[in-house]
Amino acid sequence: MTAPLIALAVGRGTGPDLAPVFERVLRRITRLHGVEAELVRSPRLYHSYVSLRAECADTAEIARLTALDAEHYERFCREQAAAGVRAVFRTAINAQSLYLVRRRLAAVKVEPLSANGARLLLVRDQAQGFYTGENQHTPGTVVRTMEFSREVTGQVVRYALRRARDLWPEGPARVQMAYKFHLLDGALDDWRAELSAELGIEIALFQPDTVNRNLITHGPEDRTVLVAGNEWADIMHVVLLDRYGSERQENRCTENVHLHPELHGLTEYQTVHGSADDLAGLDTVNPVATIRAAARIAERHANCPGAEAAVETALAAAQARGVRTPDLGGTTGTTETVDAVLKELSVALKPFVPAARSGASRITAASGTDRAGAR
């Protein structure tokens, strides 16, 4: 069997601290399953916003490096998808570069949530809107241009429905969109109506403040699909996690799916938290989200059944012994936390790994081209 390919992209800040965590956990899980995986690491260390501000003398230089990072990461994703990679783990990088890529590759962020037995699927439209715009500078002024299109809106809605039907065999009970649609001269409402007729399902369109009020007052209806504009969903993602995910964002990983047809559904996994540049090199950054991302990738993309459940068991066992990083009120460092979880993992995985399975695991490193130059 061909070894599955997993890609890794690393940004400044705590990226260099978390990349080895991902590699260690992925290696341990695959070894325990007796399977192989090949890890392909981008040769470029991408900027964080803090590193750009520290290195650049003016906005022109920030814009230049932002464009280079975006160009390189887009190319890396395209090359890996063409080579058969279906999963990327990415640490935090500068959002301006990232959203240029998300626009070009039509990305959505996906988050299944639950509240008192009600299931909610948040599909965050990262491919269009203010975040994906580009800047033109004149003295004292920044003009930011952005775009919405029926084609991309249709891609996002169709994907949301496919994902909901994968999650819920009975299909979605309610589909609603949360966008500032009154700013678009009625175009988004027209597209919604056309998509409703085309797909044979009622799609509601609400202002974000109305969605907020309904969620706070009533909670979500079971099997609700919420397709959300990026600006609102970026803020509400953490709120929804807190209210319906029962988890702090520092502990969560999430996934972004690229809908551009040339990317073949390449899925990028990331921690929900940012680059945390102030913690870089201190061995204190919380590794839980990265550990969970490694488990999710191992189970979904590297033929390691039971990896996610086993990691949750191992995390709970480590936390029961008082293993917590400073952000969670503990004193345990990053490395010590990972050591504790990996110690528990061998025991936790035993029920999931067939006894007859054997063979060496292999995590090898490879690099793609770097025509833009590493910085």
Side-chain angles (χ1 to χ4, degrees):
M1 179 184 294
T2 302
L5 299 171
I6 309 298
L8 172 63
V10 183
R12 303 287 183 92
T14 54
D17 300 69
L18 292 173
V21 172
F22 176 78
E23 292 172 324
R24 283 187 67 193
V25 177
L26 184 65
R27 183 180 297 112
R28 178 64 62 87
I29 293 171
T30 54
R31 179 176 294 128
L32 289 169
H33 280 83
V35 299
E36 295 184 350
E38 183 175 342
L39 192 62
V40 184
R41 183 166 178 162
S42 173
R44 187 179 183 89
L45 182 63
Y46 300 99
H47 281 280
S48 68
Y49 178 75
V50 172
S51 73
L52 284 171
R53 293 293 298 178
E55 293 181 19
C56 298
D58 53 32
T59 56
E61 181 66 4
I62 290 176
R64 187 183 74 83
L65 290 180
T66 293
L68 285 177
D69 275 348
E71 175 192 340
H72 188 280
Y73 188 53
E74 178 189 359
R75 185 169 64 249
F76 179 73
C77 288
R78 287 181 179 275
E79 289 175 349
Q80 299 316 308
V85 171
R86 294 295 172 264
V88 179
F89 176 68
R90 176 190 52 74
T91 71
I93 67 175
N94 178 40
Q96 193 171 351
S97 300
L98 186 60
Y99 280 109
L100 288 172
V101 178
R102 286 172 168 169
R103 184 192 70 200
R104 296 165 188 169
L105 301 183
V108 293
K109 182 168 286 186
V110 184
E111 190 74 70
L113 300 161
S114 61
N116 301 320
R119 294 161 290 177
L120 171 68
L121 177 65
L122 173 65
V123 176
R124 176 175 155 188
D125 178 358
Q126 300 178 111
Q128 47 190 0
F130 177 79
Y131 283 18
T132 64
E134 298 194 45
N135 299 330
Q136 292 182 329
H137 295 267
T138 56
T141 304
V142 180
V143 177
R144 188 163 179 82
T145 58
M146 61 181 180
E147 180 179 286
F148 284 86
S149 75
R150 188 198 186 285
E151 179 182 1
V152 172
T153 302
Q155 283 181 299
V156 172
V157 171
R158 290 186 191 93
Y159 175 80
L161 292 175
R162 290 197 304 271
R163 188 64 180 263
R165 288 167 181 142
D166 288 341
L167 282 173
W168 312 318
E170 61 270 56
R174 187 177 188 189
V175 181
Q176 61 182 64
M177 300 172 67
Y179 286 80
K180 299 292 278 186
F181 61 87
H182 65 298
L183 301 176
L184 302 177
D185 300 323
L188 194 62
D189 202 14
D190 291 344
W191 301 340
R192 173 210 57 82
E194 293 167 4
L195 287 166
S196 290
E198 173 190 327
L199 300 172
I201 187 168
E202 180 60 31
I203 302 171
L205 178 61
F206 292 99
Q207 296 289 354
D209 57 337
T210 302
V211 176
N212 290 348
R213 184 174 65 247
N214 290 340
L215 285 173
I216 291 168
T217 304
H218 307 292
E221 180 182 343
D222 187 32
R223 293 182 288 118
T224 292
V225 177
L226 179 55
V227 179
N230 201 33
E231 295 74 21
W232 174 80
D234 184 27
I235 297 168
M236 288 301 296
H237 189 190
V238 174
V239 177
L240 292 171
L241 285 175
D242 180 66
R243 183 174 286 261
Y244 304 127
S246 302
E247 190 71 73
R248 291 183 52 155
Q249 67 165 335
E250 290 84 358
N251 286 349
R252 295 281 297 207
C253 68
T254 190
E255 61 183 284
N256 308 281
V257 181
H258 299 88
L259 305 183
H260 191 291
E262 293 180 11
L263 273 290
H264 312 292
L266 178 72
T267 302
E268 174 198 84
Y269 296 84
Q270 65 167 101
T271 61
V272 174
H273 62 74
S275 57
D277 293 70
D278 58 321
L279 301 180
L282 300 180
D283 195 45
T284 58
V285 65
N286 185 341
V288 170
T290 300
I291 292 169
R292 283 176 163 156
R296 190 175 294 184
I297 288 174
E299 178 154 349
R300 298 183 183 183
H301 303 279
N303 193 27
C304 296
E308 290 186 80
V311 159
E312 291 305 314
T313 300
L315 284 168
Q319 290 170 0
R321 293 196 285 107
V323 176
R324 288 181 177 83
T325 45
D327 62 299
L328 300 178
T331 59
T332 314
T334 305
T335 303
E336 187 180 351
T337 299
V338 177
D339 290 343
V341 173
L342 292 182
K343 183 177 179 181
E344 300 287 348
L345 188 59
S346 298
V347 176
L349 263 175
K350 282 183 180 178
F352 300 100
V353 181
R357 203 169 195 174
S358 63
S361 170
R362 175 171 58 92
I363 300 288
T364 59
S367 296
T369 58
D370 189 15
R371 290 186 290 274
R375 280 187 173 266

